């Protein structure tokens, strides 16, 4: 092949490596919990522009690169086989480049439609224009490159002709391989077309096209629009492939091609007739007879090319690998998310039980306990109690009432106590009995076995939660003022609902957030006066965990864990 050999080899390896790397980047983001890629750096945006495949069966973000990865890996393997065989083994290379070629045509049409009818150029920034033009130029370049590579591959192939003294015959492609062609080509058509239809739907909903044309609106909302799109694509996929190269992607894989009765490439009208005949019902099964209907009606044949590499049936090794990969990628993320969520819940429950145990075993006059009537027939207004004093084995408590709607919170408990502390009824409980009722595990927390009569005789309660009114109680919110997802700067607002305190230090335990402030930072409990701390390296799609050290008004040190997943935050007291 000479220079052509180097072009095919370098192109196959370069495109496959870039594609595999980009897919790994996407997989990493999805498994880290990203719901969309709004934080991709400019370097990666330019790199992703060279990954022209856009194959999928769904519109779910976590499935976006599953099939792209399959084809990039096949191209990588095909590139290695091509190099190892010194240009003889071309099936994987031809197969994937034919998919890239067809996908590039559809993406180019889709991009042109988007730029002409959808894009509002008046509101488009210069950076967005740059990436639109860059993507368009790369698409044209990939289209030209893949076309030339497929032409090079086909120019090296010859029809498998068997010559004897009596006659010369051409080797027909077997019935099962023809059935294989149909399955593979239908799969590829679906992978290319479905993302196009989904994108078109989103674009039309966001544009003013429907508002300006009621007829167009009714057309695209009917099933006829889908039929038209499928038919148009059908007459792109088969004619373009078979007119230009004599083979669809599946035929590249089995080293087959379409010919006429003279063993020559059919003309365009013959190929269009052949494509039209494919729409006859059950045509796909007709080649199990002597000849397929779209073959006989168009006077065409599908024949084998001379094999230059390994046997076609050796390609079957990839099927079990593909099945395992697809099962992991389609279902693995869900099970992994459920597993990590259960682990996180278990850890949070263990921390909560340890915290409850510590608080119950050390009762003091700053504690407020939220209780739950386990018999479900007591006074539902029994919200909890505040410990007033501890004298020997006697603990004086004040019953606080309030409507118990769902999980309690610190502000609600403190508000109820301040409203009722002067009028609340006082009870006395025994300390030795009280310290025994903490749950020892998750099961006892939800189904308590040790309870206590705090108020009315005969009605038993368990501890739902506990708050310490004399300690700082922190909550946090994160804000990105610029609304630019690529901006790594943000502000964290710390609100204190408990006693006044001072943040003396914040140390990262997971993640790369940089806290841009000078400690100490006062956290007042005054309403509307949160402590603001600027942060850098804020990743909207990432998770961060930091340890916060706080001194209360009595100079006692307390530790809290600050967690955030994007804008979602949580602060847990740990010590």
């Amino acid at each position: 092949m000479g220079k052509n050999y180097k072009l095919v080899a370098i192109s196959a390896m370069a495109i496959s490596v870039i594609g595999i790397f980009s897919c790994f980047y996407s997989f990493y983001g999805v498994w880290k919990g990203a719901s969309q890629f709004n934080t991709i750096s400019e370097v990666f945006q330019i790199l992703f522009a060279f990954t022209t495949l856009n194959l999928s069966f769904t519109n779910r973000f976590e499935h976006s690169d599953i099939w792209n990865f399959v084809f990039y890996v096949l191209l990588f393997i095909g590139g290695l086989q091509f190099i190892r065989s010194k240009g003889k083994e071309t099936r994987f290379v031809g197969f994937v480049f034919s998919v890239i070629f067809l996908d590039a045509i559809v993406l180019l049409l889709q991009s042109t439609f988007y730029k002409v009818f959808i894009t509002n150029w008046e509101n488009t920034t210069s950076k967005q224009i740059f990436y639109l033009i860059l993507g368009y130029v790369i698409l044209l370049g990939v289209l030209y490159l893949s076309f030339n590579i497929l032409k090079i591959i086909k120019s090296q192939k010859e029809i498998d002709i068997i010559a004897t003294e009596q006659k010369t015959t051409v080797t027909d492609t077997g019935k099962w391989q023809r059935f294989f062609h149909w399955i593979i080509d239908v799969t590829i058509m679906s992978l290319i077309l479905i993302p196009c239809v989904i994108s078109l739907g989103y674009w039309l909903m966001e544009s003013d096209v429907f508002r300006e044309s009621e007829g167009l609106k009714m057309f695209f909302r009917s099933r006829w629009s889908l039929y038209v799109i499928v038919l148009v694509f059908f007459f792109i996929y088969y004619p373009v492939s078979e007119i230009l190269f004599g083979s669809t992607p599946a035929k590249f894989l089995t080293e087959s091609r379409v010919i006429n009765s003279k063993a020559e490439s059919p003309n365009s009208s013959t190929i269009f007739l052949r494509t039209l005949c494919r729409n006859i019902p059950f045509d796909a099964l007709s080649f199990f007879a002597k000849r397929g209907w779209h073959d006989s009606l168009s006077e065409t044949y599908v024949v084998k090319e001379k094999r230059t590499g390994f046997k076609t049936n050796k390609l079957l090794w990839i099927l079990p690998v593909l099945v395992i990969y697809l099962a992991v990628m389609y279902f693995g993320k869900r099970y992994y998310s459920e597993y990590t969520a259960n682990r996180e819940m278990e850890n949070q429950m263990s921390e909560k039980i340890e915290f409850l145990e510590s608080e119950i075993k050390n009762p003091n006059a700053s504690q407020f306990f939220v209780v739950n009537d386990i018999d479900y027939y007591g006074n539902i207004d029994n919200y909890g109690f505040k410990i007033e004093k501890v004298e020997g084995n006697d603990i004086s408590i004040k019953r606080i009432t309030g409507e118990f709607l769902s999980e309690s919170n610190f502000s609600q408990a403190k508000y109820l106590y301040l409203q009722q502390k002067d009028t609340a009824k006082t009870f006395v409980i025994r300390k030795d009995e009280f310290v025994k009722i903490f749950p020892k595990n998750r099961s006892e927390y939800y189904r308590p076995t040790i309870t206590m009569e705090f108020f009315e005789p005969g009605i038993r309660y368990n501890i739902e939660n506990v708050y310490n009114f004399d300690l700082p109680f922190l909550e946090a919110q994160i804000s990105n003022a610029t609304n630019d997802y690529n901006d790594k700067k943000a502000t964290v607002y710390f609100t204190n609902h408990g006693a006044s305190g001072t943040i003396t230090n914040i140390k990262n335990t997971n993640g790369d957030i940089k806290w841009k402030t000078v400690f100490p930072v006062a956290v007042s409990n005054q309403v509307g006066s949160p402590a603001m701390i600027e942060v850098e390296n804020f990743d909207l799609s990432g998770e961060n965990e930091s340890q916060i050290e706080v001194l209360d008004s009595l100079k006692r040190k307390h530790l809290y864990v600050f967690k955030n997943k994007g804008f979602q935050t949580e602060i847990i007291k740990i010590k």
Side-chain angles (χ1 to χ4, degrees):
M1 280 190 179
K3 292 182 180 180
N4 291 335
Y5 169 82
K6 292 182 179 180
L7 174 66
V8 175
I10 293 172
S11 299
M13 299 308 294
I15 292 175
S16 63
V17 169
I18 292 173
I20 290 171
F21 177 82
S22 300
C23 289
F24 271 127
Y25 184 91
S26 299
F27 295 156
Y28 173 76
V30 168
W31 285 71
K32 284 281 288 182
S35 59
Q36 55 185 344
F37 284 123
N38 292 319
T39 57
I40 300 176
S41 64
E42 291 189 15
V43 174
F44 285 113
Q45 287 185 36
I46 294 175
L47 186 66
F48 284 174
F50 288 90
T51 58
T52 56
L53 281 179
N54 183 31
L55 310 174
S56 185
F57 279 125
T58 73
N59 63 341
R60 294 180 60 179
F61 173 74
E62 61 268 28
H63 296 163
S64 61
D65 276 321
I66 290 177
W67 285 96
N68 294 343
F69 182 75
V70 169
F71 283 86
Y72 286 129
V73 169
L74 289 179
L75 182 59
F76 181 77
I77 295 172
L80 293 178
Q81 291 174 338
F82 181 83
I83 295 170
R84 184 179 178 184
S85 65
K86 296 182 180 179
K88 293 182 179 180
E89 178 52 61
T90 61
R91 271 172 288 188
F92 277 161
V93 173
F95 171 63
V96 178
F97 268 112
S98 64
V99 175
I100 291 175
F101 178 76
L102 291 166
D103 196 29
I105 292 175
V106 172
L107 290 175
L108 201 62
L109 294 173
Q110 182 179 333
S111 180
T112 303
F113 176 85
Y114 176 73
K115 290 174 177 60
V116 174
F117 297 104
I118 308 296
T119 302
N120 186 349
W121 292 100
E122 295 178 358
N123 298 328
T124 306
T125 65
S126 57
K127 182 187 289 188
Q128 290 172 330
I129 292 174
F130 169 76
Y131 283 116
L132 285 171
I133 295 174
L134 176 65
Y136 206 77
V137 170
I138 291 175
L139 268 177
L140 288 171
V142 168
L143 194 66
Y144 178 77
L145 176 67
S146 55
F147 172 79
N148 280 284
I149 288 175
L150 294 173
K151 278 295 187 181
I152 291 169
I153 290 173
K154 277 302 176 182
S155 67
Q156 305 298 314
K157 296 288 185 179
E158 297 178 1
I159 298 175
D160 188 13
I161 299 175
I162 301 174
T164 63
E165 293 181 358
Q166 291 79 21
K167 62 178 180 177
T168 300
T169 59
V170 179
T171 305
D172 290 327
T173 301
K175 296 177 181 179
W176 286 106
Q177 285 196 8
R178 298 293 305 278
F179 185 63
F180 176 78
H181 290 170
W182 178 74
I183 293 175
I184 295 299
D185 283 328
V186 167
T187 301
I188 292 171
M189 281 192 288
S190 302
L191 287 169
I192 294 175
L193 186 59
I194 288 174
C196 176
V197 172
I198 291 171
S199 298
L200 180 63
Y202 283 133
W203 287 348
L204 290 174
M205 284 189 295
E206 293 176 359
S207 71
D208 296 328
V209 174
F210 283 165
R211 298 173 192 167
E212 298 172 357
S213 175
E214 188 65 28
L216 194 62
K217 179 179 179 180
M218 292 178 64
F219 172 73
F220 275 105
R221 286 189 172 180
S222 69
R223 65 177 61 183
W224 289 104
S225 62
L226 183 60
Y227 293 157
V228 170
I229 292 172
V230 171
L231 188 63
V232 169
F233 180 66
F234 200 77
F235 276 89
I236 291 175
Y237 185 89
Y238 282 107
V240 168
S241 299
E242 294 181 345
I243 291 172
L244 294 179
F245 314 115
S247 301
T248 62
K251 294 181 182 70
F252 271 99
L253 204 56
T254 62
E255 293 182 306
S256 302
R257 74 167 64 179
V258 179
I259 61 171
N260 59 19
S261 57
K262 298 179 181 180
E264 298 173 347
S265 297
N267 56 35
S268 300
S269 59
T270 302
I271 293 296
F272 274 105
L273 175 61
R274 175 182 169 85
T275 303
L276 188 63
C277 294
R278 290 180 184 274
N279 293 282
I280 300 173
F282 306 108
D283 169 76
L285 301 178
S286 65
F287 46 71
F288 282 113
K290 188 174 181 180
R291 286 186 69 192
W293 294 337
H294 63 266
D295 292 335
S296 58
L297 293 174
S298 62
E299 286 297 321
T300 55
Y301 303 82
V302 177
V303 299
K304 297 291 289 183
E305 297 170 334
K306 287 184 179 180
R307 180 163 52 85
T308 54
F310 53 79
K311 290 183 179 180
T312 302
N313 58 12
K314 289 188 177 181
L315 297 177
L316 296 175
W317 65 267
I318 200 170
L319 291 179
V321 177
L322 180 61
V323 170
I324 294 172
Y325 162 78
L326 292 175
V328 170
M329 296 306 295
Y330 273 103
F331 305 109
K333 176 62 169 63
R334 186 182 71 187
Y335 292 126
Y336 174 76
S337 299
E338 291 175 356
Y339 169 76
T340 53
N342 288 333
R343 286 291 303 271
E344 187 174 350
M345 184 180 294
E346 290 286 349
N347 292 336
Q348 290 177 352
M349 187 56 62
S350 297
E351 292 174 357
K352 186 167 187 176
I353 290 173
E354 290 176 7
F355 175 71
L356 282 177
E357 179 182 0
S358 174
E359 292 294 309
I360 292 172
K361 286 186 173 181
N362 299 281
N364 59 78
S366 69
Q367 293 171 323
F368 183 96
F369 287 86
V370 180
V371 299
N372 197 11
D373 167 22
I374 66 164
D375 295 321
Y376 301 107
Y377 62 82
N379 183 353
I380 63 171
D381 289 337
N382 287 325
Y383 185 84
F385 61 85
K386 167 72 167 56
I387 294 180
E388 295 299 310
K389 60 181 177 180
V390 179
E391 294 180 334
N393 200 42
D394 293 334
I395 302 176
S396 297
I397 63 173
K398 281 191 174 182
R399 179 175 66 177
I400 304 300
T401 62
E403 190 173 356
F404 197 93
L405 298 176
S406 57
E407 288 191 6
S408 61
N409 61 67
F410 183 94
S411 300
Q412 182 183 17
K414 191 170 183 179
Y415 171 78
L416 291 174
Y417 173 69
L418 293 175
Q419 291 291 315
Q420 303 175 35
K421 65 178 181 178
D422 296 330
T423 58
K425 187 176 180 179
T426 301
F427 296 83
V428 177
I429 60 176
R430 293 176 60 84
K431 180 179 179 181
D432 57 349
E433 295 179 3
F434 179 63
V435 298
K436 295 177 182 178
I437 71 170
F438 71 89
K440 297 181 179 63
N441 51 51
R442 182 177 176 179
S443 177
E444 287 189 7
Y445 179 80
Y446 288 110
R447 294 182 178 85
T449 56
I450 304 176
T451 56
M452 190 171 180
E453 296 177 357
F454 293 115
F455 313 125
E456 298 86 347
I459 301 177
R460 306 188 70 84
Y461 298 84
N462 72 296
I463 302 297
E464 173 85 10
N465 211 338
V466 58
Y467 300 112
N468 199 315
F469 288 164
D470 290 346
L471 300 181
F473 187 88
L474 303 180
E475 292 181 350
Q477 289 183 327
I478 297 181
S479 173
N480 185 332
T482 63
N483 293 321
D484 183 358
Y485 291 106
N486 292 313
D487 188 356
K488 300 293 185 179
K489 295 180 180 179
T491 303
V492 181
Y493 297 87
F494 288 101
T495 304
N496 181 16
H497 299 285
S500 295
T502 304
I503 298 176
T504 57
N505 190 30
I506 302 180
K507 180 174 63 176
N508 287 347
T509 55
N510 179 40
D512 300 317
I513 279 184
K514 292 183 179 180
W515 301 86
K516 307 297 290 184
T517 189
V518 178
F519 295 105
V521 176
V523 279
S524 170
N525 57 6
Q526 295 181 6
V527 178
S529 300
M532 297 182 293
I533 298 181
E534 302 293 331
V535 295
E536 294 181 353
N537 284 354
F538 170 66
D539 184 0
L540 181 61
S541 62
E543 297 182 26
N544 296 276
E545 183 175 306
S546 303
Q547 193 173 90
I548 304 174
E549 183 181 288
V550 180
L551 290 182
D552 63 21
S553 57
L554 298 177
K555 303 301 180 183
R556 294 174 298 186
K557 184 169 73 172
H558 307 277
L559 294 180
Y560 301 81
V561 171
F562 167 84
K563 298 179 180 179
N564 82 285
K565 184 177 181 180
F567 290 124
Q568 298 178 354
T569 62
E570 180 184 19
I571 296 181
I572 304 170
K573 189 177 187 308
I574 59 172
K575 194 174 180 181

